[in-house]
Amino acid sequence: MTGMDVARTIVDLRTYRDRLGQVSVALVPTMGALHAGHLALIAAAKATGAAVVTSIFVNPLQFGPGKDLARYPRDEAADLAMIRDFGCDLAWLPDAAVMYPPGDATVIEVAGPALRWEGERRPGHFRGVATVVAKLFGQIRPDTAFFGEKDWQQLQVVRRMVGDLALPVRIVGVPTVRDPNGLALSSRNRFLSGPEQAVAPCLYAVLRHVADRLGAGADPAVILEQSRETLRQAGLSPEYIELVDAETLEPLGAVQSPCRVIATARIGSVRLLDNVRVA
Ligand code: AMP
Protein backbone atom coordinates (compact mmCIF):
# COMPACT_ATOMS: atom_id res chain seq x y z
CA MET A 1 0.00 0.00 0.00
CA THR A 2 1.35 3.45 -0.87
CA GLY A 3 0.03 6.93 -0.40
CA MET A 4 0.77 7.61 3.25
CA ASP A 5 2.08 11.10 3.89
CA VAL A 6 4.62 11.62 6.65
CA ALA A 7 4.69 15.02 8.34
CA ARG A 8 7.34 16.20 10.79
CA THR A 9 6.68 19.94 10.79
CA ILE A 10 3.53 21.97 11.43
CA VAL A 11 3.78 23.39 7.89
CA ASP A 12 3.79 19.91 6.31
CA LEU A 13 1.05 18.75 8.67
CA ARG A 14 -1.21 21.64 7.57
CA THR A 15 -0.59 20.84 3.91
CA TYR A 16 -1.30 17.11 4.25
CA ARG A 17 -4.21 17.64 6.66
CA ASP A 18 -5.87 20.07 4.25
CA ARG A 19 -5.34 17.57 1.44
CA LEU A 20 -7.51 15.07 3.31
CA GLY A 21 -10.34 17.51 2.54
CA GLN A 22 -13.81 17.30 3.99
CA VAL A 23 -13.69 13.58 4.76
CA SER A 24 -13.99 12.64 8.43
CA VAL A 25 -10.57 12.42 10.10
CA ALA A 26 -9.71 9.89 12.82
CA LEU A 27 -6.66 10.27 15.05
CA VAL A 28 -4.76 7.38 16.64
CA PRO A 29 -2.22 8.81 19.11
CA THR A 30 0.73 6.51 19.89
CA MET A 31 4.26 6.57 21.24
CA GLY A 32 5.52 4.18 18.57
CA ALA A 33 7.09 0.73 19.04
CA LEU A 34 3.85 -0.37 17.47
CA HIS A 35 2.21 -3.75 18.00
CA ALA A 36 -1.12 -5.42 17.27
CA GLY A 37 -2.82 -3.35 19.99
CA HIS A 38 -2.03 -0.14 18.14
CA LEU A 39 -3.06 -1.74 14.85
CA ALA A 40 -6.46 -2.57 16.36
CA LEU A 41 -6.96 1.15 17.00
CA ILE A 42 -6.05 1.93 13.38
CA ALA A 43 -8.37 -0.83 12.14
CA ALA A 44 -11.23 0.51 14.26
CA ALA A 45 -10.57 4.01 12.94
CA LYS A 46 -10.45 2.80 9.33
CA ALA A 47 -13.66 0.83 9.80
CA THR A 48 -15.52 4.11 10.33
CA GLY A 49 -14.54 5.18 6.81
CA ALA A 50 -12.47 8.09 8.12
CA ALA A 51 -9.07 9.16 6.87
CA VAL A 52 -6.67 7.93 9.55
CA VAL A 53 -3.90 10.00 11.07
CA THR A 54 -1.48 8.13 13.36
CA SER A 55 0.77 10.21 15.56
CA ILE A 56 4.03 8.80 16.84
CA PHE A 57 5.55 10.89 19.60
CA VAL A 58 7.36 9.72 22.71
CA ASN A 59 6.08 12.47 24.96
CA PRO A 60 8.73 13.55 27.48
CA LEU A 61 6.13 15.44 29.54
CA GLN A 62 4.36 12.24 30.59
CA PHE A 63 7.49 10.47 31.85
CA GLY A 64 8.77 10.85 35.37
CA PRO A 65 12.42 11.25 36.34
CA GLY A 66 14.52 8.13 35.78
CA LYS A 67 15.42 6.01 32.82
CA ASP A 68 11.97 5.09 31.50
CA LEU A 69 12.00 7.84 28.83
CA ALA A 70 15.56 7.08 27.71
CA ARG A 71 14.92 3.37 27.40
CA TYR A 72 11.46 3.67 25.82
CA PRO A 73 11.66 1.54 22.63
CA ARG A 74 11.85 3.40 19.34
CA ASP A 75 11.66 1.85 15.88
CA GLU A 76 10.48 4.48 13.46
CA ALA A 77 11.18 2.63 10.23
CA ALA A 78 9.28 -0.48 11.31
CA ASP A 79 6.43 1.66 12.70
CA LEU A 80 6.04 3.59 9.45
CA ALA A 81 6.10 0.41 7.36
CA MET A 82 3.49 -1.18 9.60
CA ILE A 83 1.00 1.68 9.53
CA ARG A 84 1.52 2.24 5.81
CA ASP A 85 0.66 -1.41 5.19
CA PHE A 86 -2.37 -0.98 7.43
CA GLY A 87 -3.74 1.81 5.27
CA CYS A 88 -2.98 4.77 7.49
CA ASP A 89 -3.32 8.00 5.47
CA LEU A 90 -1.04 10.35 7.35
CA ALA A 91 1.71 9.82 9.92
CA TRP A 92 2.48 12.72 12.26
CA LEU A 93 5.97 12.57 13.74
CA PRO A 94 6.76 15.83 15.48
CA ASP A 95 9.90 16.14 17.54
CA ALA A 96 9.92 17.62 21.04
CA ALA A 97 10.75 21.12 19.77
CA VAL A 98 7.72 21.06 17.47
CA MET A 99 5.43 19.80 20.22
CA TYR A 100 6.91 22.09 22.89
CA PRO A 101 8.14 25.18 21.03
CA PRO A 102 10.50 27.63 22.75
CA GLY A 103 8.62 29.55 25.42
CA ASP A 104 5.91 26.88 25.62
CA ALA A 105 3.94 27.77 28.75
CA THR A 106 0.63 25.90 28.64
CA VAL A 107 -0.36 22.63 30.27
CA ILE A 108 -3.68 20.90 30.82
CA GLU A 109 -4.30 19.69 34.34
CA VAL A 110 -7.18 17.25 34.79
CA ALA A 111 -8.32 16.44 38.34
CA GLY A 112 -11.18 13.96 38.97
CA PRO A 113 -10.32 10.67 37.23
CA ALA A 114 -6.62 11.65 37.00
CA LEU A 115 -6.04 11.97 40.74
CA ARG A 116 -5.72 8.40 41.92
CA TRP A 117 -3.82 5.24 40.87
CA GLU A 118 -1.44 6.16 38.04
CA GLY A 119 -1.92 9.82 38.94
CA GLU A 120 -0.59 9.18 42.46
CA ARG A 121 2.20 6.87 41.44
CA ARG A 122 3.37 8.85 38.42
CA PRO A 123 3.11 12.52 39.43
CA GLY A 124 2.65 14.72 36.36
CA HIS A 125 1.91 11.76 34.10
CA PHE A 126 -1.65 12.74 33.24
CA ARG A 127 -0.67 16.41 32.93
CA GLY A 128 1.69 15.24 30.18
CA VAL A 129 -0.93 13.01 28.57
CA ALA A 130 -3.72 15.63 28.63
CA THR A 131 -1.41 18.36 27.37
CA VAL A 132 -0.08 16.36 24.44
CA VAL A 133 -3.52 15.03 23.51
CA ALA A 134 -4.95 18.57 23.53
CA LYS A 135 -2.06 19.70 21.33
CA LEU A 136 -2.61 16.78 18.94
CA PHE A 137 -6.29 17.69 18.69
CA GLY A 138 -5.33 21.28 17.85
CA GLN A 139 -2.73 20.22 15.31
CA ILE A 140 -4.78 17.57 13.52
CA ARG A 141 -8.38 18.71 14.10
CA PRO A 142 -9.71 15.12 14.13
CA ASP A 143 -13.42 14.32 14.21
CA THR A 144 -12.76 11.18 16.23
CA ALA A 145 -9.85 9.88 18.29
CA PHE A 146 -9.18 6.26 19.22
CA PHE A 147 -7.70 5.16 22.54
CA GLY A 148 -7.09 1.71 24.03
CA GLU A 149 -9.10 0.39 26.97
CA LYS A 150 -5.78 -1.10 28.08
CA ASP A 151 -5.02 2.32 29.59
CA TRP A 152 -8.46 2.65 31.19
CA GLN A 153 -7.64 5.57 33.45
CA GLN A 154 -6.05 7.47 30.56
CA LEU A 155 -9.19 6.92 28.47
CA GLN A 156 -11.35 8.41 31.23
CA VAL A 157 -8.97 11.34 31.71
CA VAL A 158 -9.16 12.12 28.00
CA ARG A 159 -12.95 11.84 28.00
CA ARG A 160 -13.17 14.17 31.00
CA MET A 161 -10.89 16.74 29.36
CA VAL A 162 -12.81 16.63 26.09
CA GLY A 163 -16.12 17.05 27.93
CA ASP A 164 -14.87 19.83 30.19
CA LEU A 165 -13.27 21.82 27.36
CA ALA A 166 -16.12 21.01 24.92
CA LEU A 167 -13.56 19.88 22.36
CA PRO A 168 -15.28 18.83 19.12
CA VAL A 169 -13.76 15.33 19.06
CA ARG A 170 -15.58 12.04 19.63
CA ILE A 171 -13.51 9.68 21.79
CA VAL A 172 -13.71 5.97 20.97
CA GLY A 173 -12.37 3.27 23.31
CA VAL A 174 -11.03 0.05 21.75
CA PRO A 175 -10.90 -3.28 23.66
CA THR A 176 -7.51 -4.51 24.84
CA VAL A 177 -5.58 -6.75 22.47
CA ARG A 178 -3.90 -9.66 24.27
CA ASP A 179 -1.43 -12.42 23.65
CA PRO A 180 -3.11 -15.83 23.45
CA ASN A 181 -1.89 -16.33 27.04
CA GLY A 182 -3.91 -13.29 28.14
CA LEU A 183 -1.08 -10.80 28.61
CA ALA A 184 -2.13 -7.34 27.37
CA LEU A 185 0.18 -6.28 24.53
CA SER A 186 2.46 -3.40 25.49
CA SER A 187 5.55 -1.80 24.00
CA ARG A 188 7.29 -2.46 27.32
CA ASN A 189 6.69 -6.24 27.23
CA ARG A 190 9.89 -6.60 25.19
CA PHE A 191 11.79 -5.94 28.42
CA LEU A 192 10.39 -9.11 30.03
CA SER A 193 12.94 -11.91 30.41
CA GLY A 194 11.96 -15.47 29.46
CA PRO A 195 10.93 -16.46 32.99
CA GLU A 196 9.12 -13.14 33.48
CA GLN A 197 7.16 -13.74 30.27
CA ALA A 198 5.88 -16.95 31.80
CA VAL A 199 4.67 -15.17 34.96
CA ALA A 200 3.30 -11.92 33.48
CA PRO A 201 0.03 -13.45 32.11
CA CYS A 202 -0.92 -14.21 35.71
CA LEU A 203 -2.06 -10.59 36.09
CA TYR A 204 -4.87 -11.01 33.57
CA ALA A 205 -5.78 -14.45 34.93
CA VAL A 206 -6.16 -12.93 38.39
CA LEU A 207 -8.17 -9.98 37.05
CA ARG A 208 -10.52 -12.36 35.25
CA HIS A 209 -10.92 -14.43 38.39
CA VAL A 210 -11.68 -11.34 40.47
CA ALA A 211 -14.23 -10.11 37.92
CA ASP A 212 -15.93 -13.51 37.83
CA ARG A 213 -16.07 -13.78 41.62
CA LEU A 214 -17.40 -10.23 41.99
CA GLY A 215 -19.98 -10.98 39.34
CA ALA A 216 -21.02 -13.98 41.43
CA GLY A 217 -21.52 -11.76 44.48
CA ALA A 218 -18.21 -12.20 46.38
CA ASP A 219 -17.14 -9.55 48.91
CA PRO A 220 -14.78 -7.14 47.06
CA ALA A 221 -12.52 -6.52 50.08
CA VAL A 222 -11.96 -10.24 50.60
CA ILE A 223 -11.48 -11.18 46.97
CA LEU A 224 -9.15 -8.23 46.26
CA GLU A 225 -6.96 -9.09 49.26
CA GLN A 226 -6.79 -12.71 48.10
CA SER A 227 -5.83 -11.54 44.62
CA ARG A 228 -2.90 -9.50 45.98
CA GLU A 229 -1.62 -12.59 47.75
CA THR A 230 -2.06 -14.72 44.61
CA LEU A 231 -0.07 -12.20 42.57
CA ARG A 232 2.73 -12.12 45.14
CA GLN A 233 2.90 -15.91 45.23
CA ALA A 234 3.14 -15.99 41.45
CA GLY A 235 6.15 -13.66 41.58
CA LEU A 236 4.48 -10.36 40.73
CA SER A 237 4.60 -7.29 42.98
CA PRO A 238 1.15 -5.71 42.91
CA GLU A 239 1.04 -1.94 43.35
CA TYR A 240 -2.73 -1.85 43.35
CA ILE A 241 -5.66 -3.99 42.35
CA GLU A 242 -8.92 -2.20 43.02
CA LEU A 243 -12.60 -2.10 42.15
CA VAL A 244 -13.42 1.35 40.77
CA ASP A 245 -16.18 3.35 39.18
CA ALA A 246 -15.57 3.03 35.44
CA GLU A 247 -15.81 6.78 34.78
CA THR A 248 -14.63 8.57 37.90
CA LEU A 249 -12.03 5.94 38.94
CA GLU A 250 -13.22 6.37 42.54
CA PRO A 251 -12.77 3.17 44.59
CA LEU A 252 -15.93 1.17 45.26
CA GLY A 253 -16.88 -1.03 48.21
CA ALA A 254 -19.47 -2.89 46.18
CA VAL A 255 -20.17 -3.72 42.55
CA GLN A 256 -22.23 -1.14 40.72
CA SER A 257 -22.67 -0.45 37.02
CA PRO A 258 -20.45 0.50 35.31
CA CYS A 259 -17.32 -0.57 37.16
CA ARG A 260 -13.86 -2.04 36.44
CA VAL A 261 -11.09 -3.78 38.28
CA ILE A 262 -7.82 -2.00 37.55
CA ALA A 263 -4.37 -3.28 38.46
CA THR A 264 -0.69 -2.57 38.21
CA ALA A 265 2.02 -5.06 39.11
CA ARG A 266 5.77 -5.00 38.80
CA ILE A 267 7.86 -7.83 37.49
CA GLY A 268 11.58 -7.26 37.08
CA SER A 269 11.99 -3.83 35.50
CA VAL A 270 8.53 -3.83 33.92
CA ARG A 271 5.32 -2.34 35.27
CA LEU A 272 2.34 -4.27 33.94
CA LEU A 273 -0.94 -2.37 33.67
CA ASP A 274 -4.29 -4.00 32.99
CA ASN A 275 -7.99 -3.84 33.77
CA VAL A 276 -11.24 -5.72 33.18
CA ARG A 277 -14.90 -4.87 33.15
CA VAL A 278 -17.02 -6.18 36.01
CA ALA A 279 -20.49 -4.80 35.37
P1 AMP B 1 1.11 3.87 23.67
O1 AMP B 1 1.89 3.87 22.39
O2 AMP B 1 1.49 2.79 24.62
O3 AMP B 1 1.04 5.25 24.29
O4 AMP B 1 -0.37 3.52 23.27
C1 AMP B 1 -1.04 4.24 22.27
C2 AMP B 1 -2.49 3.83 22.27
O5 AMP B 1 -2.58 2.44 22.05
C3 AMP B 1 -3.18 4.11 23.63
O6 AMP B 1 -4.50 4.56 23.37
C4 AMP B 1 -3.17 2.75 24.27
O7 AMP B 1 -4.21 2.58 25.21
C5 AMP B 1 -3.36 1.86 23.07
N1 AMP B 1 -2.90 0.49 23.36
C6 AMP B 1 -1.70 0.11 23.86
N2 AMP B 1 -1.67 -1.22 24.05
C7 AMP B 1 -2.88 -1.69 23.67
C8 AMP B 1 -3.47 -2.99 23.64
N3 AMP B 1 -2.81 -4.08 24.03
N4 AMP B 1 -4.75 -3.10 23.19
C9 AMP B 1 -5.44 -2.01 22.79
N5 AMP B 1 -4.93 -0.75 22.79
C10 AMP B 1 -3.68 -0.60 23.23
Side-chain angles (χ1 to χ4, degrees):
M1 169 102 40
T2 54
M4 183 179 78
D5 289 313
V6 179
R8 296 175 192 273
T9 65
I10 296 286
V11 171
D12 282 352
L13 180 67
R14 293 266 144 80
T15 305
Y16 298 143
R17 169 66 179 86
D18 290 347
R19 216 185 269 167
L20 297 175
Q22 294 305 309
V23 63
S24 175
V25 170
L27 169 64
V28 178
T30 82
M31 297 205 299
L34 301 180
H35 51 64
H38 300 110
L39 295 181
L41 303 189
I42 296 175
K46 278 203 78 71
T48 65
V52 178
V53 182
T54 303
S55 61
I56 300 177
F57 179 63
V58 182
N59 176 29
L61 203 61
Q62 70 187 71
F63 286 81
K67 299 197 187 77
D68 198 30
L69 172 61
R71 83 160 188 167
Y72 198 82
R74 292 166 169 83
D75 195 347
E76 187 184 299
D79 289 346
L80 288 176
M82 214 185 276
I83 63 176
R84 180 177 284 117
D85 286 350
F86 235 65
C88 178
D89 297 279
L90 169 57
W92 171 223
L93 280 72
D95 65 17
V98 169
M99 196 58 91
Y100 300 104
D104 176 84
T106 306
V107 294
I108 305 277
E109 190 83 54
V110 180
L115 292 178
R116 294 177 188 270
W117 321 122
E118 294 307 291
E120 271 168 359
R121 283 158 188 83
R122 305 180 65 187
H125 172 65
F126 286 125
R127 179 188 310 128
V129 170
T131 300
V132 84
V133 169
K135 284 173 179 265
L136 288 168
F137 288 175
Q139 291 158 352
I140 293 161
R141 288 172 280 125
D143 300 284
T144 54
F146 289 72
F147 292 84
E149 291 186 352
K150 153 101 174 24
D151 300 286
W152 186 264
Q153 188 174 9
Q154 168 174 281
L155 175 59
Q156 304 317 314
V157 169
V158 170
R159 284 193 195 283
R160 185 79 237 179
M161 173 184 77
V162 165
D164 289 349
L165 301 181
L167 301 179
V169 184
R170 189 169 65 87
I171 303 302
V172 181
V174 177
T176 303
V177 177
R178 301 178 180 283
D179 264 347
N181 63 20
L183 178 65
L185 298 190
S186 164
S187 305
R188 292 182 175 91
N189 289 353
R190 67 190 65 196
F191 298 126
L192 293 169
S193 69
E196 289 164 356
Q197 284 172 27
V199 172
C202 179
L203 179 61
Y204 180 61
V206 167
L207 280 169
R208 278 256 45 90
H209 177 72
V210 170
D212 291 346
R213 300 284 293 121
L214 292 178
D219 179 345
V222 173
I223 196 76
L224 289 168
E225 193 45 45
Q226 284 172 359
S227 71
R228 291 181 195 108
E229 192 47 38
T230 308
L231 289 170
R232 280 190 283 267
Q233 279 172 8
L236 291 163
S237 305
E239 288 188 4
Y240 57 80
I241 174 162
E242 299 289 346
L243 175 67
V244 301
D245 181 283
E247 276 177 32
T248 66
L249 276 294
E250 288 295 313
L252 296 174
V255 171
Q256 64 177 47
S257 187
C259 64
R260 306 290 288 194
V261 181
I262 58 169
T264 301
R266 283 187 181 277
I267 178 162
S269 65
V270 179
R271 235 173 135 248
L272 303 172
L273 187 73
D274 206 344
N275 69 92
V276 294
R277 196 170 84 98
V278 177

